[in-house]
Amino acid sequence: MTLEGSSSLAMIIFIISIIIALAASYLYGWKMTEMTGWFGSHVFVASVINLFLWACTIFIWFFYAFKVSVGLFFGGLMLGSVLLVISEVALIITLFVRRDKLLEVYHEQADSASEADKLSRRGEN
């Protein structure tokens, strides 16, 4: 698979869109775990978001690359598949490594909210 002309730009855009999908799914998992304290379900949803955005990217790649050449089509498919596996593993491992910190932030927010609720109830009495 050689990259000449617009094919190299298309490959760069393809890789960047997969990286953006990873970043968007990580941000979802990070923020929602901090907000709700539910870890497992948000990791699953973040993985599905990553998979969906990857599928959209590879679908667009199919339309572009098949018209250019079959070699570029299958090369991009292989590259995309490898990047998908790497990004899913990186997403899950990163969220699991940060799990304790994310849940700690949630518990701090929940404790401060309950203290503020207690103080507001004392002021009403």
Side-chain angles (χ1 to χ4, degrees), residues 7-23:
S7 297
S8 61
L9 179 62
M11 188 68 78
I12 290 169
I13 292 171
F14 177 66
I15 293 170
I16 288 174
S17 63
I18 290 176
I19 291 170
I20 289 171
L22 174 63

Side-chain angles (χ1 to χ4, degrees), residues 106-125:
Y106 167 72
H107 290 301
E108 288 174 2
Q109 291 173 351
D111 290 343
S112 66
S114 66
E115 288 176 13
D117 188 41
K118 288 178 187 176
L119 290 175
S120 68
R121 287 184 186 176
R122 285 184 192 162
E124 290 176 1
N125 292 334

Side-chain angles (χ1 to χ4, degrees), residues 1-97:
M1 178 177 78
T2 61
L3 297 176
E4 295 102 13
S6 65
S7 297
S8 61
L9 179 62
M11 188 68 78
I12 290 169
I13 292 171
F14 177 66
I15 293 170
I16 288 174
S17 63
I18 290 176
I19 291 170
I20 289 171
L22 174 63
S25 58
Y26 173 75
L27 287 175
Y28 171 83
W30 170 41
K31 287 295 183 185
M32 293 308 291
T33 301
E34 281 185 350
M35 289 176 62
T36 64
W38 297 348
F39 180 74
S41 61
H42 291 303
V43 169
F44 177 74
V45 172
S47 293
V48 171
I49 289 171
N50 192 26
L51 180 64
F52 173 74
L53 293 174
W54 178 87
C56 291
T57 302
I58 203 72
F59 186 69
I60 293 169
W61 177 258
F62 287 164
F63 282 124
Y64 168 76
F66 199 70
K67 290 188 285 186
V68 175
S69 76
V70 176
L72 185 65
F73 173 78
F74 285 115
L77 180 62
M78 279 306 259
L79 177 67
S81 300
V82 169
L83 287 178
L84 171 69
V85 171
I86 290 171
S87 67
E88 285 288 340
V89 169
L91 173 69
I92 292 169
I93 288 174
T94 305
L95 286 173
F96 268 102
V97 166

